[in-house]
Structure formats: structure tokens, C-alpha cells
Amino acid sequence: MVHVTHASPPSSAILGIETSCDETAAAVVEPSGLVRSSVIASSQQTFQATAGVIPEQAARMQLQAILPVIDAALAQAGIPLERIDAIAVTRGPGLLGSLLVGTTVARLLRALTGRPLIGVHHTLGHLSSPWLYAPGEAAPAIRFPVLTLSVSGGHTDLWLRTGHTRGRLLGRTRDDAAGEAFDKGASLLHLPYPGGPAVAHAAETGDPKAVPFPLPLSGEDTMDFSFSGLKTALRYRIRDHAADSLPDLAASYQLALCRHLTDRVARALDRHIDCVEVHLVGGVAANRHLREELVALCRTRGIPFRTPGAPAACTDNAAMIALAGGFMATELGDAAYAPFATLPAIPLEEVVRDVGE
Ligand code: KG4
Ligand code: ZN
């Protein structure tokens, strides 16, 4: 067993590994957020026929992909394994078999290289993703407090963060996650998996005002989310109005989902006027319409808006895990390198803590 003491954060290159769902990803990122390489092998196409991931099959495919993907990330970065300063790996939440592929290989690399290992919460990776930047771009300034809308297939959260690992959860979904609402809506519309991009694509030529879906929780004094009513409304609409066109339904449903999300952000900004930035992260952040709605809201409020530049940095990737590992090392010191368990469920509140203002 290798024991190393790490008083300071990694100085140059962090290897990130992410295998929480159906992707196998590795990346090399500098602690400032500069992405030296980011490689993703996805088995998404395999699971289109089943309209969802089959966990054991995903893990088997990841086992085959993981070493070539890590090799490719190191080669593209032009950095050999010996020159990596730290390894960051997703320790959960996610599919356990898939997570174990990543964490087992990461533990092996730690033993082989003696480099420190950081276990990262998958969603902390998403929360860190707006600060990733490509070669040739300027490093984004990091300022807090930040209001973060975190929307993926597994969660929908609104955070007020005073640091990378400090903050308060203002609201979360009471039922489906936003990505799930896109995926289930796509299934009702007989569109392929994953549903988000499919709904967005179908919506391109539709009229978003064609079907007036209700705004969820509009009368309640809360920053929580709820999507199950919209999904039910879509189901009844399809059943009762056979003449509706697919593009109109997709555009109207997408508009309703995005309005609900934007409405919560507007409420949060009303209450937390000290926020210096609004961030949008997670797979659903790849949705162009949602980005446009939030850009417009932030413009009227005079507050900067930040989201990962490329859609591939919104959906699951290893660059965000590497950067989150670097942020953890900076804020938590040696505690970032503590031994960790690989777990299918971990509340983010265990990692992003409310330590008061
Ligand atoms: O963050 P992510 O890649 O995986 C999870 O951690 O869940 O998010 C996946 C989710 C899926 O539900 C997918 O349908 C959704 O993000 N998504 C989108 C778009 N691209 C991916 N939703 C709406 N519009 C998109 N363009
Ligand atoms: Zn994710």
C-alpha cells in the first residue's frame, strides 16, 4: 500500500476518470481548468434499441473501453502517466458495476504510480464544469456566491454556492428529474433514447405556443421542481388530440420544461440578490432553448451567465471530474485524498456543505 502526504493541491496535470453510467471517459486537466484532453467512449447507441441502459452490459463494455480510453487521453494530452500529479475518479452516484470499473482502475493506477487519488461525487463534477476551458481561451475568473441550476437525467437541483464544496440546496425536484422528463416525454412521442436531444431536434420546426402546457408549482412559495404533471399533461394531450403535429408537441413540451426551470432561477435571484453569477450544468444544459431562456433572464437581471462551452462538456465527461478533484484538493487539503467507498447513491449535501454565510 502506498502512503503519501499531500499538503498542497496538484500543480499541473490531473487525470480524470468517469464511468458512472453508459460512458467511459478519461481526461487530463490542469488545476486551472485547462482541458489538455477529454476522451469519451459511449455505449449510448447500443442502448437505443432498449430505450435505456442495461447496467451489466454497460459495465462489460466499459471494462473493454477503459484502458484504451485512458491511453488515448494521456496520448492526446502529450503527458505520460508518470507525469500525472493526481488521479480523480467518480466514486458515485451511478450504476455500481459501471462505477467499480472506473474506481478499480483508478485504485490500480494509484498503486502503480504512487500518485494521490481523489474520489469525486459525480454531480460535483457537473458543478465544476463551467470553469473548464480549452487551449487558447482565457481562464475564467472564479467568483462566489454562484446560483447553480444542475439538471441531468438523475437530479434537478438549485444550489446557492459560496465555494466549490460549500453551499446550500435551495430546491430540488419532488418527482422526476428534468432529463428524465425529457426522456419520458420522448418515449411518449415515440422518439429515440436519450430523449433530450431527440425532443430538442423534433422541436426545431415546431410552434412552442401550439399547446399551452401548465407551469408547475407556480402558485407555491418554493424553489422546488416538479415534472410529473407535465409528463401526464403530455400523455393526455397525445391521447385526446390526434391532430397535433410531433414538432408542435415537442416544441411546446420543451418550452414548458424550460419555463419551469427558468421560473425557479428567477425566484432564486429575487431572494438572493448577492449572487454574482448564474450557472447551468448537467446533461440538460446542452439544451439550446434552455440556454437561451436563461441567457435572456440573466441579461434582464444584469448578472453574468456561465455554462460549459460545448454540449459534450454538459453531458457526462471526465474533464469535469478531474477539475472537481482539483477544486477539492484546493479547498479541503489532505481530506480530499481520504479513502472512499464506491457507492450507487451519495447525497451531494455530504460533499457540498452548508457551513453558513
Ligand atoms: O448529466 P448527464 O449526461 O447524465 C446524468 O448524470 O444523468 O444527463 C443526461 C440527461 C438525459 O436525460 C438526456 O436526455 C439529457 O441529459 N439531455 C438533454 C439534452 N442532451 C442531453 N436534455 C435536453 N436537451 C438536450 N439537448
Ligand atoms: Zn451526469
Side-chain angles (χ1 to χ4, degrees):
M1 176 70 77
V2 185
H3 290 282
V4 199
T5 304
H6 315 281
S8 57
S11 54
S12 68
I14 307 166
L15 173 66
I17 298 173
E18 150 68 38
T19 60
S20 66
C21 189
D22 58 0
E23 79 301 323
T24 310
V28 177
V29 174
E30 295 188 5
S32 65
L34 177 67
V35 181
R36 301 282 300 259
S37 68
S38 181
V39 177
I40 305 172
S42 171
S43 55
Q44 222 163 60
Q45 279 187 333
T46 309
F47 298 120
Q48 268 175 2
T50 48
V53 178
I54 301 170
E56 192 177 312
Q57 201 178 338
R60 280 169 198 265
M61 293 171 83
Q62 284 161 321
L63 212 45
Q64 289 177 336
I66 185 82
L67 293 180
V69 164
I70 292 173
D71 274 346
L74 292 169
Q76 284 179 25
I79 297 182
L81 188 57
E82 314 80 70
R83 283 199 21 236
I84 290 293
D85 293 299
I87 303 158
V89 64
T90 304
R91 69 179 180 96
L95 303 173
L96 188 57
S98 295
L99 288 164
L100 283 168
V101 173
T103 54
T104 304
V105 168
R107 289 181 203 282
L108 197 66
L109 292 178
R110 175 192 199 277
L112 285 172
T113 63
R115 291 293 180 259
L117 177 61
I118 307 168
V120 178
H121 190 293
H122 176 79
T123 312
L124 187 67
H126 282 299
L127 260 48
S128 308
S129 61
W131 289 294
L132 292 168
Y133 66 101
E137 288 176 2
I142 298 180
R143 303 182 307 146
F144 291 102
V146 168
L147 183 69
T148 305
L149 175 62
S150 174
V151 273
S152 79
H155 65 271
T156 303
D157 296 335
L158 195 55
W159 284 91
L160 182 64
R161 289 194 303 149
T162 50
H164 297 291
T165 56
R166 291 187 295 275
R168 192 150 59 87
L169 185 64
L170 300 179
R172 66 170 14 148
T173 184
R174 296 179 181 178
D175 39 61
D176 293 340
E180 224 177 339
F182 270 101
D183 294 339
K184 290 181 177 174
S187 158
L188 289 170
L189 293 166
H190 303 291
L191 290 169
Y193 168 86
V199 170
H201 182 69
E204 271 168 26
T205 53
D207 173 9
K209 297 204 185 78
V211 182
F213 287 113
L215 188 63
L217 304 180
S218 57
E220 285 189 40
D221 186 23
T222 172
M223 280 180 275
D224 281 347
F225 304 84
S226 171
F227 295 97
S228 62
L230 280 175
K231 183 189 61 192
T232 308
L234 176 64
R235 174 177 291 125
Y236 288 145
R237 183 77 198 190
I238 294 169
R239 189 192 66 185
D240 299 338
H241 294 76
D244 286 342
S245 78
L246 171 65
D248 283 356
L249 279 170
S252 303
Y253 185 64
Q254 173 177 259
L255 177 79
L257 295 179
C258 296
R259 281 273 153 87
H260 180 36
L261 292 165
T262 311
D263 176 58
R264 302 291 113 165
V265 173
R267 281 171 190 238
L269 286 176
D270 288 343
R271 291 183 197 183
H272 301 282
I273 49 171
D274 57 333
C275 275
V276 295
E277 279 185 12
V278 172
H279 289 191
L280 171 66
V281 304
V284 181
N287 187 276
R288 194 168 49 84
H289 183 80
L290 179 59
R291 287 170 177 242
E292 285 168 4
E293 291 250 333
L294 283 171
V295 165
L297 171 71
C298 291
R299 194 175 296 129
T300 60
R301 301 296 181 99
I303 183 164
F305 172 75
R306 198 185 287 283
T307 191
C314 298
T315 48
D316 293 344
N317 66 86
M320 67 183 195
I321 300 300
L323 184 57
F327 287 155
M328 284 170 68
T330 305
E331 280 189 0
L332 307 175
D334 281 352
Y337 305 104
F340 60 85
T342 306
L343 294 168
I346 312 168
L348 186 57
E349 291 93 320
E350 280 180 17
V351 180
V352 179
R353 295 214 172 94
D354 185 2
V355 290
E357 297 297 306

